[in-house]
Amino acid sequence: MSEDYQGPERVFSGVQPSGELHLGNYLGALKKFARLQHEKECVFCIVDLHAITVPQDPKRLAEQTRHIAAAYLASGVDPSKALIYNQSDVRAHTELAWYFNCVARTGWLNRMTQFKDKAGKNAEKASVGLYTYPVLQAADILAFKATQVPVGEDQKQHLELSRDIAGKFNRDFNAPGFFPLPEPLIDGPGAKVMSLRDGTKKMSKSDPADASRINLTDDADKIAKKIRKAKTDSGLVPETPDELDGRPDIANLVGIYSALADMSEADVLEQHAGSQFGPFKNALADVAVAAMEPITELMTRYLSAPDEIDRILAEAGDKAAAIADPIVAEVRKIIGFRGA
Ligand code: AMP
Ligand code: TRP
């Protein structure tokens, strides 16, 4: 946090309503959200403005948004403790994003690896929105003066950019400590869940192979099958975490086990050291089904009541705007607009 920032602590994070959520999203983000709501003031957003940086089907966008809301709820985020709202319902995001577009430098954005990955070879055909995506992300966080941001490891660079933008705004406008420098919360074994088919690649919704990931909507049978088919090597389960070096597929399965069972990797290995991977994967499948099945069931239940989801989102959207609007109004004043 900025040395000068004196305001209260607040947690903010967001998930895009595009595609299916998977185990990586759950362990890297949602599971942490449910824990943090007991410790700090939390604001959790469904970032539909980010989703439209690549084409989305207008007929499906609202449905996808409810899907993420249901995932938050099913993962244990309690709407009476934390705000769960939809980004496009709160105008402060887009407004602050513009001001930050004028603070961030193109050189900073040119270094963003996620843009390069997503835009691929044909960057000239990518939307301008995809390019400035991390600036909108900084606006999300700072419209709430959030001090901590729980995310998976892939968001580290975007969080650094958010800190750079906050610091430059504070300096450029001679407003020391106005924005905090938000800290990423990226810890634990779930921060980077890898593909079940290739332990060197991130588990991702854009992977064409469904067997590479466990979706939050997979039933017990599917979860168990995918784990039993997960890639391993011809060795045995090692004795200590150090021996996971150079064995990415095994390290991934042990990390998933540890995160799902809330056990250290050392304890997981102690239990299974010397075992063949068949029995180890059976044990992991049991752990995964026990952890994920209740979430899948709850998600289905929440999705059968879309009006209730919409009510939760609308109520939280009003509360979120009541926090963010005054902060953005102060920004207008600091910039020097006549009407501010
Ligand atoms: P996204 O679905 O890209 O909006 O990501 C939502 C959240 O899940 C972010 O905090 C990501 O960092 C996190 N996340 C996505 N993929 C993974 C993964 N394979 N392992 C851990 N966290 C992830
Ligand atoms: N870029 C994040 C992702 O793809 C989603 C996101 C948007 C976000 N705004 C945010 C995450 C603000 C944390 C805070 O995962």
Side-chain angles (χ1 to χ4, degrees):
M1 219 186 296
S2 163
E3 284 167 20
D4 300 319
Y5 181 72
Q6 302 290 336
E9 287 197 310
R10 188 175 282 137
V11 170
F12 183 97
S13 195
V15 177
Q16 295 189 70
S18 51
E20 288 253 6
L21 285 182
H22 53 70
L23 185 66
N25 300 125
Y26 175 66
L27 293 175
L30 298 171
K31 190 169 187 231
K32 287 192 214 159
F33 299 173
R35 178 168 50 78
L36 283 162
Q37 70 185 343
H38 302 294
E39 297 167 16
K40 300 211 159 76
E41 183 191 339
C42 287
V43 182
F44 299 126
C45 188
I46 300 155
V47 290
D48 55 354
L49 298 170
H50 280 97
I52 63 162
T53 55
V54 296
Q56 299 293 334
D57 178 355
K59 289 197 216 71
R60 291 209 55 216
L61 191 56
E63 197 184 302
Q64 298 259 48
T65 299
R66 290 189 194 103
H67 191 86
I68 305 297
Y72 276 125
L73 295 166
S75 302
V77 180
D78 175 351
S80 70
K81 287 208 166 70
L83 296 182
I84 303 174
Y85 77 100
N86 191 195
Q87 190 184 28
S88 64
D89 286 343
V90 175
R91 302 290 177 266
H93 294 272
T94 39
E95 183 178 345
L96 189 58
W98 179 257
Y99 306 148
F100 283 172
N101 271 330
C102 303
V103 172
R105 305 289 94 184
T106 55
W108 299 357
L109 289 187
N110 288 340
R111 286 194 282 276
M112 295 293 118
T113 56
Q114 187 167 302
F115 174 76
K116 289 181 200 161
D117 290 347
K118 283 200 182 169
K121 287 190 201 90
N122 214 345
E124 299 234 333
K125 289 272 163 63
S127 72
V128 176
L130 189 67
Y131 182 67
T132 64
Y133 174 117
V135 177
L136 177 60
Q137 182 163 347
D140 298 341
I141 297 165
L142 294 165
F144 291 84
K145 295 194 173 181
T147 50
Q148 280 120 334
V149 185
V151 279
E153 205 171 286
D154 58 354
Q155 294 303 308
K156 207 170 170 183
Q157 195 185 35
H158 286 167
L159 261 293
E160 274 159 26
L161 185 90
S162 296
R163 294 165 69 86
D164 288 344
I165 290 176
K168 186 162 169 29
F169 180 95
N170 291 350
R171 283 192 304 280
D172 284 0
F173 293 100
N174 196 22
F178 179 74
F179 283 123
L181 307 188
E183 285 170 18
L185 298 178
I186 310 175
D187 51 348
K192 195 167 188 193
V193 178
M194 310 306 277
S195 156
L196 297 177
R197 312 298 300 167
D198 178 354
T200 64
K201 263 181 28 196
K202 197 177 74 163
M203 184 177 283
S204 157
K205 53 188 144 202
S206 56
D207 193 321
D210 187 60
S212 69
R213 62 182 164 265
I214 293 174
N215 300 308
L216 245 48
T217 47
D218 286 347
D219 61 20
D221 209 38
K222 246 191 178 163
I223 295 173
K225 269 199 192 119
K226 285 179 179 175
I227 289 186
R228 289 201 190 99
K229 278 201 187 147
K231 193 169 163 230
T232 49
D233 56 31
S234 54
L236 300 173
V237 176
E239 284 177 14
T240 62
D242 287 350
E243 294 165 80
L244 294 169
D245 279 357
R247 295 178 77 185
D249 297 303
I250 314 306
N252 187 35
L253 295 183
V254 172
I256 292 173
Y257 197 132
S258 142
L260 284 173
D262 287 317
M263 282 166 73
S264 71
E265 296 196 344
D267 286 346
V268 173
L269 292 176
E270 202 182 302
Q271 262 186 24
H272 296 278
S275 158
Q276 300 206 314
F277 285 114
F280 176 76
K281 287 198 276 188
N282 285 339
L284 175 55
D286 290 345
V287 167
V289 168
M292 304 309 290
E293 202 181 23
I295 296 176
T296 312
E297 277 176 20
L298 267 176
M299 243 181 110
T300 313
R301 211 178 310 156
Y302 282 117
L303 284 171
S304 68
D307 292 349
E308 175 63 7
I309 292 180
D310 285 348
R311 191 191 57 76
I312 290 170
L313 292 177
E315 213 171 273
D318 290 344
K319 288 188 186 153
I323 300 172
D325 288 350
I327 292 174
V328 176
E330 275 186 84
V331 171
R332 277 197 291 269
K333 235 186 250 165
I334 290 172
I335 294 175
F337 289 132
R338 183 192 56 79

